[in-house]
Every structure is written in structure tokens, then in C-alpha cells.
Amino acid sequence: MVYGILILWKRFSNSYMKNELMPEIERHCIKHGIYSQAAYDDYQKNKFAENSLYIYHGYAESDIPVGIEYEVIARMGEYGVIQSDSVQKWHSRVLSFFTQYPVQPFYQADSGYHGLSLIQFEKEIPPMIYELEEVAQKRPMDWTTRICLGSKEGIQRMINKDMALRELAKILKDFDIKHINDLYSISNSLDINNYNQMLCDIIRKIKEEKNKRKLYQVIDEQIIKKYKLNQKETEEIIDKSLDSFWQKRLQL
């Protein structure tokens, strides 16, 4: 099974972990019982592991198990776009995941949730990690800096999707102006209250119309094949691009 990338938001200071969070974890384990004995034992064995940091991570794309290993690290810019020139080969391994509340060791990061993790880096902690804001006291957190861990293939696929999205946006921008009235007529014939269904119907109708085939031929030749996108990725970038295109050009 292929697991998604792990997005890192914050790093915790050693003193805060030792004086605040670790005692809190123990209190929760006593009060609520240990969720996973194996996860708790791994945490006790590794909680002061060399070249490791406690990290607050973002929403997991899929369930990610403890022990997962990542090959590369990279910065994420605005809108979650990976900065391709920042990708570095740097091996890492997740030693522990923790439930969000009450905080205690768990055997995986659940899909759709964010929380605490203990991550160990090979040889040394990468300098890039120190760009994350350090948490030294309990307070509400925001996340302006994001760094991600992933496999070489997974990171490259995300970069490919971002590049394809930019190219598709340009194709739509340059799309012959004479088609705008046709698109506008199509949009008016659909139920604007069901926006997601409307986009799907517009995409379907455009595909069916003979005079729009050239656009999709260009998309297929210049983007889908070029970046080796699968069907799901193709649908994602087309949905995003067309959504933006119609909002700006057709004032939906």
C-alpha cells in the first residue's frame, strides 16, 4: 500500500516536551487507560531517541502507520504547492504517533486528522526542519510554514500535478474567446445550487460538444500524457482549473 505524504506544521521544544507534554501524556494514560500497549511501549523506548523531534503534523491523506519511513523532505508553498527546488533526499522514520486529545501514543495517524508525532532523522536533523516555528508553551497554533515528508515518487507526483495545473490554467486562459458564450449558455442551463454537480455536468457537456474536442485533445496530449497523471489526478486538476476559469471569466 502507498501512503500519503506527512505535512509538518510545528516543532516542539525539548523543554516543553519534557516539562509539559510528557507528564500530560502519562496523566491521560492513567486516567483514560492505554489505547495501544504496543504503541505505548514504543513511545517509552524511543521518547528520547537521537536525532528526533516531536512534530505537530497536518491532516493525513490516509491512515499512516507508526514505523513508516520517508525518503525526501521538501518545503510547501502557498496552497500546498511543493517547491520543487527545495526537495532533498533525507531519510526519516516515524517512531510514534499520538491521538489529538487526550494525547497519548497510538499506532497510526488517522486519515483526516492532525496531531503529534515523534520523527527520527537519519544521521542528523535536516536544517529545513528548524524553519518550522518552535512551540515552547501552550497556546493556540497557526501554521504559516509547512514542510512535508514523502517518498520520491509521491513527492514527484505532487509536483507533476501542480505543474499540470499551471499549464492547464494557461490553456484555459488562452482558449478561443468565441467559446465563452457557449460555456455561458451551458452554465445557465444547469442548477447553480448544486455547484459540484454543475461542474461535472459542464465538463461532460463540453466533452460531448464537437467544437470543444480540440481543447480536451490538447489537455490529453500536453498535460495528462506528459505528466503521467492517472484518472483521479486528471479529474482533480481539471475540476480546479475549470472552477477557477468559470468563476473569473463567466462570473458564476
Side-chain angles (χ1 to χ4, degrees):
M1 180 176 181
V2 177
Y3 297 99
I5 66 171
L6 191 63
I7 302 173
L8 314 182
W9 283 344
K10 302 287 181 181
R11 59 186 173 89
F12 289 86
S13 70
N14 292 332
S15 60
Y16 182 61
M17 283 303 308
K18 184 177 180 180
N19 298 324
E20 298 289 340
L21 275 183
M22 286 180 177
E24 181 179 335
I25 289 170
E26 295 299 334
R27 287 196 301 270
H28 287 316
C29 288
I30 293 171
K31 181 178 180 180
H32 301 283
I34 295 173
Y35 288 163
S36 167
Q37 187 64 51
Y40 180 80
D41 292 343
D42 282 342
Y43 159 67
Q44 291 294 346
K45 180 175 67 177
N46 295 308
K47 62 183 178 181
F48 297 116
E50 194 174 59
N51 298 326
S52 65
L53 277 177
Y54 289 87
I55 301 287
Y56 192 67
H57 64 259
Y59 294 92
E61 293 180 301
S62 58
D63 292 344
I64 301 176
V66 164
I68 187 170
E69 298 185 8
Y70 291 110
E71 301 169 288
V72 296
I73 185 172
R75 295 185 186 91
M76 299 186 79
E78 193 175 7
Y79 306 117
V81 175
I82 293 176
Q83 299 176 0
S84 57
D85 59 352
S86 73
V87 178
Q88 298 178 16
K89 184 177 180 182
W90 211 294
H91 187 269
S92 59
R93 181 171 181 264
V94 178
L95 300 178
S96 292
F97 280 120
F98 301 82
T99 51
Q100 188 177 14
Y101 187 83
V103 182
Q104 62 164 286
F106 203 51
Y107 53 83
Q108 68 181 24
D110 289 340
S111 173
Y113 286 87
H114 50 78
L116 183 67
S117 51
L118 173 61
I119 301 173
Q120 185 176 49
F121 297 92
E122 188 177 53
K123 297 181 181 178
E124 63 179 355
I125 297 172
M128 191 185 302
I129 286 293
Y130 293 106
E131 297 175 14
L132 296 173
E133 183 180 350
E134 184 179 67
V135 178
Q137 60 183 344
K138 185 171 287 188
R139 57 181 174 78
M141 288 189 286
D142 57 2
W143 29 86
T144 53
T145 301
R146 289 179 291 180
I147 290 172
C148 63
L149 305 176
S151 65
K152 288 170 61 178
E153 179 185 14
I155 295 294
Q156 188 59 53
R157 290 197 72 81
M158 287 196 68
I159 292 173
N160 286 352
K161 282 174 61 178
D162 293 334
M163 293 175 68
L165 189 58
R166 287 195 291 272
E167 285 198 28
L168 180 52
K170 185 177 186 304
I171 288 173
L172 287 171
K173 183 178 180 182
D174 295 340
F175 190 47
D176 194 335
I177 195 72
K178 71 181 181 181
H179 295 307
I180 288 198
N181 289 333
D182 295 330
L183 295 173
Y184 189 72
S185 297
I186 292 171
S187 69
N188 279 343
S189 70
L190 300 169
D191 181 9
I192 199 167
N193 293 319
N194 188 349
Y195 194 71
N196 289 335
Q197 185 60 46
M198 183 187 72
L199 286 178
C200 292
D201 288 345
I202 291 176
I203 293 170
R204 175 177 54 79
K205 285 179 179 291
I206 289 177
K207 286 181 178 178
E208 291 172 355
E209 292 198 20
K210 188 175 182 180
N211 62 347
K212 310 299 191 310
R213 292 186 184 277
K214 185 177 180 181
L215 171 64
Y216 276 82
Q217 182 179 352
V218 170
I219 292 173
D220 183 55
E221 292 177 354
Q222 293 188 13
I223 294 181
I224 298 171
K225 291 178 180 177
K226 179 179 178 180
Y227 293 107
K228 301 178 181 178
L229 302 179
N230 59 35
Q231 182 177 348
K232 181 180 178 182
E233 292 167 337
T234 301
E235 291 173 355
E236 285 178 2
I237 68 165
I238 289 176
D239 282 353
K240 286 182 180 179
S241 293
L242 292 178
D243 188 3
S244 175
F245 175 76
W246 281 307
Q247 284 189 36
K248 292 177 181 178
R249 304 280 294 272
L250 305 179
Q251 298 180 343
L252 292 179

